[in-house]
Amino acid sequence: MNNEVIGRKRKIFTFAVALFGALVLWMYAIGYDTEMDTATYNGVVVEIMGVNTNGYTVADGDSFSLSVDVRLAGTRQVLSDVDAGDLSAYVDISGVTGPGLTTLPVTVVAPNGSTVESVSVPNVTLYVDVFTSRTIKVNIEKTFTSSYTVGQVKQDAYVVTVYGPESIINKAEAYAHFDLGNIVTGSFNVSGTVLLRDVETKAAISNPYVTLSRSTVNVTITMHGKKTVPVKLSVPDSLYDINELTFNSSLATVTLEGPVYDLNKIDALYVSCDGSISDSVYSRTLTVSELLTENEVPATITAEYGEAELTYTVSLPTVKFAEVHIDADRIFIYGMPEDGSAYAEASSGLVVRILGTYQDVTSYNSELMTVMVNYNTLKKDPVSGEYLGIAEISTGDNNICVVGNGYYVPVAVTLQVIENILF
């Protein structure tokens, strides 16, 4: 075999070996690009999409935080070029048709050439609604077992601002309840918790996404009671003795209602007679409300039949008794011995009871009265040892008479001779 043939065979062999190596490399490359594999990518952040598309937002959307692990399937070539930052995940609420809790899928967007095989959290339950605020009145409710009633209630907060799902707070009412038990005091301070409930069903609202601008309310409660007091007569001290007047009223008692503290200060209501009383009968008509005004009853207290007319009459007595005091120096002793053997004088004054018409006795001048004692009527009291003489009394007014008799005047006697000269 010549050299030329050998050289040609060698070139063919070298080419064949090179061709076979290239074919092997090509077949390996083709296999690597087409062989399927899976890979897991951790910490893919999930976002909320579709907010306000239908008016709804997600409760605590600003603080919503969720990351998922995603398993992708694809060729080794594709997967080798993917990292977690190339993936995106979201929950779309644009299709939600009503408020409340809803469960939605976590959607993952994967690079071209790969498919999502699994997501560590495939579904998320969210609370969606229109979140807003509303200011509502705080109602105060009380239960108690005493006979009192609740009067004035003062609150340090009459309204509260409610934040939360519109579907909940639009049907909410705020209140604070106080169980006062058998309360027996007039006024007191209490604090209570502000609560929410459904205005229609009265069921308590415990939605965790509902918040209040304040949680307590401080209240001052004034309790009211009833008290029945008599209607009495009042007259000026300088005019008549009230015990001598006959008082008749169309309403003997008045039932008052109001704050307990104020009621405790009132024991009676008084109608007054003014200085115009001169006849034997005085009458007047006024309403019960006017009677309260005359007695300076606080405006917080009311009376039953407040506008009813109260008619009362005051009858003056036809006659009047009175007591007149006569000083000792106005009592005269007469009939003493002319020889001056004895001297006598009253040792104390005398109280005389008189009777006459009311007007005469009221205007009587006691200086018109004289009291005289006959020396010869003096008798020695064996018990006290005093000398007593019978009083001769003259009122000095024919319209005034002395009530009773037997008035005795203590007399001091000074003897100038021995005692048995007289007795």
Side-chain angles (χ1 to χ4, degrees), residues 110-348:
N112 292 333
S114 64
T115 58
V116 177
E117 188 172 89
S118 65
V119 181
S120 60
V121 182
N123 298 295
V124 176
T125 299
L126 301 173
Y127 191 100
V128 297
D129 206 324
V130 177
F131 286 83
T132 184
S133 65
R134 176 175 170 236
T135 298
I136 57 178
K137 179 182 177 183
V138 179
N139 296 311
I140 302 300
E141 299 178 354
K142 298 85 51 184
T143 55
F144 52 93
T145 58
S146 73
S147 59
Y148 293 157
T149 58
V150 175
Q152 187 180 46
V153 177
K154 293 183 178 179
Q155 306 168 218
D156 68 345
Y158 288 89
V159 296
V160 64
T161 300
V162 186
Y163 305 90
E166 186 177 62
S167 61
I168 300 295
I169 68 174
N170 277 353
K171 298 187 296 180
E173 63 179 359
Y175 70 99
H177 182 82
F178 299 95
D179 186 356
L180 306 179
N182 188 22
I183 188 74
V184 294
T185 188
S187 182
F188 54 93
N189 300 319
V190 290
S191 295
T193 302
V194 180
L195 302 173
L196 292 177
R197 66 187 175 200
D198 188 281
V199 69
E200 297 176 354
T201 65
K202 303 304 179 183
I205 294 175
S206 57
N207 189 295
Y209 305 111
V210 175
T211 59
L212 299 173
S213 60
R214 63 181 297 155
S215 59
T216 60
V217 59
N218 301 309
V219 177
T220 300
I221 299 178
T222 300
M223 301 300 290
H224 281 198
K226 286 188 176 183
K227 185 177 184 180
T228 300
V229 298
V231 178
K232 296 184 177 181
L233 177 66
S234 172
V235 296
D237 294 338
S238 60
L239 188 60
Y240 299 103
D241 182 349
I242 193 170
N243 295 322
E244 297 173 336
L245 303 177
T246 302
F247 175 64
N248 294 301
S249 174
S250 60
L251 199 61
T253 61
V254 172
T255 299
L256 304 175
E257 181 175 355
V260 174
Y261 285 157
D262 291 336
L263 288 178
N264 290 340
K265 301 175 184 177
I266 303 174
D267 295 322
L269 296 176
Y270 293 90
V271 292
S272 60
C273 294
D274 55 28
S276 64
I277 298 180
S278 58
D279 299 328
S280 60
V281 177
Y282 173 80
S283 62
R284 183 184 172 196
T285 300
L286 74 167
T287 65
V288 175
S289 293
E290 290 172 337
L291 177 62
L292 266 59
T293 300
E294 283 193 6
N295 284 264
E296 297 182 351
V297 174
T300 53
I301 293 181
T302 59
E304 291 182 343
Y305 318 115
E307 301 311 313
E309 288 189 344
L310 167 68
T311 301
Y312 68 89
T313 59
V314 180
S315 300
L316 306 182
T318 304
V319 295
K320 177 180 176 67
F321 290 91
E323 292 182 342
V324 180
H325 178 77
I326 305 299
D327 293 333
D329 60 2
R330 291 179 52 209
I331 300 176
F332 303 100
I333 311 297
Y334 72 93
M336 288 183 289
E338 294 181 358
D339 60 6
S341 58
Y343 176 76
E345 62 180 356
S347 59
S348 63

Side-chain angles (χ1 to χ4, degrees), residues 404-419:
N405 50 33
Y407 289 93
Y408 290 89
V409 178
V411 178
V413 178
T414 303
L415 300 178
Q416 304 301 319
V417 294
I418 59 175
E419 186 174 347

